[in-house]
Amino acid sequence: MQSILDGLCELSLRDPLTGLSNRRHFNHLLNREIESVARSGESVLLLIMDIDHFKKVNDTYGHHAGDLVLQAVSKCLASCVRPMDTVSRFGGEEFAAILPNCPSSFGPVVAERIREAVAALAITVSPSETIQVTISIGGAYAPEWVRSTIELWTERADEQLYRAKSSGRNRVFIEEQRGVAVSADEKGMLFGHLLLGDPASASIAGDTSSSAVADTEMNRAN
Amino acid sequence: MSEVSNPPQVAAVEPTLALNSRSKVIAVTSGKGGVGKTFVSANLAAALAKRGLRVLVLDADLGLANLDVVLNLYPKITLHDVFTGKSKLEDAIYKAPGGFSVLLAGSGMVEYSRLAPEVRDDFLRIMESLVPNYDIVLLDTGAGISDVVLFAVSMASEVLLVATPEPTALTDAYATIKVLGAQQKRQSIRMVINQVARTGDGTAITTQLQQVLDRFVNKDSEHPLKLIHMGDIPVDPAVRQAIMKRQLLAQSDPGCPAALSLTQLASKVESAVIKHGS
């Protein structure tokens, strides 16, 4: 009985063709990240990825070949990310990945790694045919400290995917992370007194204040 | 009580409550969760009620707040029922143990947390009809900086920010202060430092926050943001006991140091808001 229940749970969370998280499960995880970001200011990246010219694959080699491509790409995507990350099939040839605790310097690196890995795949679709595909990737960070919504967040990642597609495909575009609400210098000055016991000596050299957060999400909220 | 007309502080958002209504609304907020925001809201409300004021605490976290847990009060009718037209507003207002009124959001409100425009209008309508009946309305907002929190804060004339001396709580408090200053052109934010180890720690923390603000934010701002220290609440084992018993301090241990500090805080809040002192 338990194994049947486990099986059903597994089914309800996964895309049957690729074994990746389905969109429903992914949205659930996104909501959880949104809560976490709002409370912790953690840096979380959302990637939306779309196989380029996938329709051509289906039209040229047939739907079975299309399925094999989806499966191969899925496996490749899952192998490119950390165990804590989640890759999902959003539907059709569109995929998404959520990368918690992802510093802004790391995002483009991992997205580029994914793009290269997919381009390097040789997918056998019939005994005599091996094909190659490419993927376009758009990404957006959750606005730190702000409770966003799934819609607003995915919309921003989608905009970047659109840029990747319209500038020739097989590309990565990631929205620049918005100014962190509290810079390292500010933190240094905030906690200086805790370490030194004297607020006056806690001033940190350098005046690179980060700009105040003015996120799309918050502007829309007002 | 005298009606006060504060200068508009919410220039960045569309007009919300009429000024004479807004002048008595205090948003109690925090950056980080778990710093005692709801505890402060409920116990401050009780202390204000003890001073003879008519006080309403509104769960402005739309179902995510713990006000019901703190007060050990599980009303059948909530704000959600008012929003859905199932109940009348007056039936959703309950008397809390501390002698103040409370309006809880109800768990069904979570679905509203995206704050659609119609929910906003409903909320404003409810506030407009509620506020005239009270001397002070405390909005217990959620943790973090969500659109719901920003909206709740935009309805208030005063912001009371609760923080603790921990570095993470201070960072969050500072982030919240920056966002409120930038988003809502607030000129002042009132500070309460909870769980201080020694007298004077809270004042030092507010001073420190102000210095960082002056250096990084106020230096090129047309609206310098001023922090007003309203009080400290000391670390006090009686607080934990009250929370575990799900009672207000005024019920469980009215003479404890934390209760006394809340009494002082209430006095300061009253003179700031009602008499418009500080």
Side-chain angles (χ1 to χ4, degrees), chain B residues 225-241:
Chain B
L225 192 54
K226 200 167 128 245
L227 303 180
I228 304 168
H229 189 69
M230 295 296 280
D232 299 356
I233 301 171
V235 173
D236 185 343
V239 171
R240 190 176 162 72
Q241 283 162 18

Side-chain angles (χ1 to χ4, degrees), chain A residues 38-39 145-147 149 151 181-182 185-187 189-191 193 199 204 206-207 209-210 212 218-219 221-222, chain B residues 13-14 33 114 120 143-147 150 167 170-172 174-175 178-179 182-183 208-209 211-212 215-216:
Chain A
R39 283 206 158 203
W145 306 99
V146 173
R147 189 172 285 131
T149 65
E151 288 78 6
V182 183
D185 286 348
E186 285 168 297
K187 279 188 189 168
M189 191 173 165
L190 264 180
F191 306 136
H193 71 290
I204 302 281
D207 240 354
S209 81
S210 68
M218 293 199 314
N219 291 336
N222 282 326
Chain B
V13 294
E14 68 247 47
R114 214 171 292 136
R120 231 183 250 224
I145 311 167
S146 67
D147 50 1
L150 287 172
L170 281 187
T171 314
D172 293 8
Y174 181 73
K178 275 180 82 170
V179 170
Q183 287 283 310
Q208 187 73 21
L209 284 166
Q211 283 176 2
V212 185
R215 183 179 179 119
F216 290 94

Side-chain angles (χ1 to χ4, degrees), chain B:
Chain B
M1 88 219 135
S2 62
E3 293 287 338
V4 229
S5 55
N6 283 351
Q9 294 191 331
V10 226
V13 294
E14 68 247 47
T16 52
L17 289 177
L19 283 183
N20 60 346
S21 298
R22 283 208 316 135
S23 61
K24 294 176 292 184
V25 181
I26 304 172
V28 183
T29 189
S30 71
K32 189 170 171 277
V35 297
K37 170 178 49 66
T38 301
F39 172 81
V40 169
S41 300
N43 284 280
L44 175 61
L48 287 164
K50 213 172 162 216
R51 301 180 68 82
L53 297 168
R54 295 168 302 160
V55 183
L56 171 73
V57 182
L58 199 148
D59 168 10
D61 197 11
L62 299 187
L64 297 169
N66 292 322
L67 203 51
D68 49 353
V69 181
V70 169
L71 295 173
N72 201 11
L73 192 73
Y74 299 93
K76 285 205 178 72
I77 302 172
T78 64
L79 194 55
H80 182 239
D81 300 307
V82 180
F83 273 24
T84 54
K86 250 170 65 186
S87 302
K88 280 193 291 189
L89 178 57
E90 47 270 36
D91 295 333
I93 295 170
Y94 287 76
K95 210 73 188 166
F100 57 92
S101 302
V102 61
L103 174 53
L104 294 173
S107 53
M109 290 297 290
V110 173
E111 69 195 72
Y112 287 106
S113 53
R114 214 171 292 136
L115 211 61
E118 60 272 20
V119 177
R120 231 183 250 224
D121 291 346
D122 280 353
F123 214 117
L124 277 177
R125 201 167 33 76
I126 285 170
M127 287 292 288
E128 303 254 4
S129 70
L130 275 177
V131 173
N133 302 332
Y134 297 93
D135 299 318
I136 290 183
V137 176
L138 296 179
L139 299 176
D140 183 31
T141 71
I145 311 167
S146 67
D147 50 1
V148 180
V149 171
L150 287 172
F151 174 65
V153 169
S154 78
M155 291 192 294
S157 57
E158 301 289 337
V159 180
L160 197 63
L161 195 132
V162 183
T164 63
E166 287 166 60
T168 46
L170 281 187
T171 314
D172 293 8
Y174 181 73
T176 306
I177 291 166
K178 275 180 82 170
V179 170
L180 292 181
Q183 287 283 310
Q184 305 200 336
K185 309 274 180 278
R186 290 255 159 207
Q187 281 147 18
S188 67
I189 290 174
R190 297 177 187 275
M191 302 295 299
V192 175
I193 311 298
N194 192 17
Q195 293 169 20
V196 301
R198 291 176 308 255
T199 322
D201 278 6
T203 314
I205 285 167
T206 303
T207 308
Q208 187 73 21
L209 284 166
Q210 182 72 60
Q211 283 176 2
V212 185
L213 266 185
D214 286 343
R215 183 179 179 119
F216 290 94
V217 179
N218 285 343
K219 67 176 164 65
D220 26 48
S221 167
E222 290 168 32
H223 309 273
L225 192 54
K226 200 167 128 245
L227 303 180
I228 304 168
H229 189 69
M230 295 296 280
D232 299 356
I233 301 171
V235 173
D236 185 343
V239 171
R240 190 176 162 72
Q241 283 162 18
I243 290 169
M244 295 308 282
K245 280 194 270 185
R246 290 152 86 193
Q247 285 185 336
L248 296 165
L249 279 179
Q251 297 169 280
S252 66
D253 197 347
C256 72
L260 297 178
S261 67
L262 279 153
T263 307
Q264 282 175 10
L265 177 64
S267 148
K268 271 194 114 167
V269 167
E270 181 184 0
S271 57
V273 177
I274 304 289
K275 295 172 194 146
H276 208 233
S278 94

